[in-house]
Amino acid sequence: GENVEQHPSTLSVQEGDSAVIKCTYSDSASNYFPWYKQELGKGPQLIIDIRSNVGEKKDQRIAVTLNKTAKHFSLHITETQPEDSAVYFCAASTTGGGNKLTFGTGTQLKVEL
Amino acid sequence: DAGITQSPRHKVTETGTPVTLRCHQTENHRYMYWYRQDPGHGLRLIHYSYGVKDTDKGEVSDGYSVSRSKTEDFLLTLESATSSQTSVYFCAISSGAYNEQFFGPGTRLTVL
């Protein structure tokens, strides 16, 4: 089955700096890659996703890049703000067959003032 | 939380007792999922449903069963709870196999 590895497990940045979280996956058939943000005591919230037919997607301060050859994808957050502090999860799936997501183990992002 | 509620939100039970968690959605989405979240493991899929009475196993299905008799409700049952099933359980929904998944607020289950 699919295996998703996520790094780093913790990340501390200064407000205004950029943050990058990286994930690798094992199944070359995976073609859907969402990113979730989870605040303490809440459910994961979808913040951005990318499908295998594109290499990059942006939404305001958030961007995701995908390298299918190397089987890795990354989340980029620019101009970080204190409210970006949370746990971020990457995931991968093959669409169809129920779109079963395999998650990374999460990155605790702390944005310091 | 995209029209998803989970009940109960917190539960403490004893080893060997049966437990049922409920996920209710108001979005009329076809797909529903149960995940568990544990430190160091991220979220792992337990079971999912692709329609009324249509369910399938996920990565960590042993010790769990599910039922879906109505589009809006997906039940997760632990027939005989064990301490290893202490976890936070999340329900998710999706309108299609190619579409985004949205998560509920979670249920924290403690098995003593």
Side-chain angles (χ1 to χ4, degrees):
Chain A
E2 175 66 278
N3 182 53
V4 177
E5 294 189 357
Q6 182 172 347
H7 300 281
S9 57
T10 60
L11 179 59
S12 184
V13 300
Q14 294 294 121
E15 183 180 8
D17 287 350
S18 296
V20 180
I21 302 170
K22 299 181 179 182
C23 289
T24 60
Y25 62 98
S26 61
D27 189 348
S28 57
S30 289
N31 55 11
Y32 175 62
F33 308 93
W35 286 89
Y36 288 85
K37 174 184 181 182
Q38 187 176 27
E39 297 176 336
L40 194 62
K42 296 186 177 181
Q45 177 189 10
L46 180 67
I47 56 172
I48 195 167
D49 57 12
I50 191 168
R51 300 184 189 273
S52 59
N53 56 342
V54 297
E56 183 175 4
K57 184 177 179 180
K58 290 183 179 180
D59 183 3
Q60 300 183 346
R61 296 186 297 108
I62 293 173
V64 58
T65 58
L66 171 65
N67 184 327
K68 286 215 70 171
T69 301
K71 288 192 274 189
H72 67 70
F73 56 112
S74 300
L75 178 70
H76 304 254
I77 306 174
T78 59
E79 301 173 19
T80 53
Q81 302 167 3
E83 51 265 39
D84 293 329
S85 296
V87 179
Y88 291 81
F89 290 96
C90 63
S93 79
T94 53
T95 53
N99 196 18
K100 294 174 284 187
L101 294 174
T102 300
F103 282 83
T105 51
T107 296
Q108 175 75 60
L109 173 64
K110 182 177 181 181
V111 180
E112 298 178 335
L113 298 173
Chain B
D1 289 319
I4 310 169
T5 57
Q6 293 185 231
S7 58
R9 295 293 313 280
H10 301 272
K11 186 172 182 64
V12 179
T13 191
E14 293 188 350
T15 298
T17 59
V19 176
T20 295
L21 308 182
R22 180 189 185 224
C23 177
H24 179 79
Q25 59 144 331
T26 58
E27 306 295 325
N28 199 34
H29 281 356
R30 177 183 174 189
Y31 287 81
M32 299 185 75
Y33 308 81
W34 278 108
Y35 292 86
R36 61 178 288 175
Q37 184 174 37
D38 305 289
H41 290 278
L43 291 98
R44 293 177 291 174
L45 181 66
I46 305 171
H47 282 280
Y48 71 102
S49 170
Y50 46 96
V52 173
K53 298 190 188 303
D54 292 322
T55 65
D56 204 352
K57 295 179 179 180
E59 176 187 357
V60 290
S61 60
D62 288 349
Y64 302 94
S65 62
V66 290
S67 65
R68 191 170 179 200
S69 59
K70 298 184 292 185
T71 298
E72 59 265 35
D73 289 326
F74 192 32
L75 304 180
L76 177 70
T77 297
L78 291 66
E79 300 290 347
S80 178
T82 67
S83 58
S84 63
Q85 294 176 311
T86 292
S87 187
V88 181
Y89 292 85
F90 288 99
C91 174
I93 64 174
S94 177
S95 59
Y98 296 88
N99 297 342
E100 302 88 345
Q101 288 186 29
F102 300 98
F103 283 78
T107 293
R108 182 173 294 278
L109 175 66
T110 301
V111 183
L112 301 176

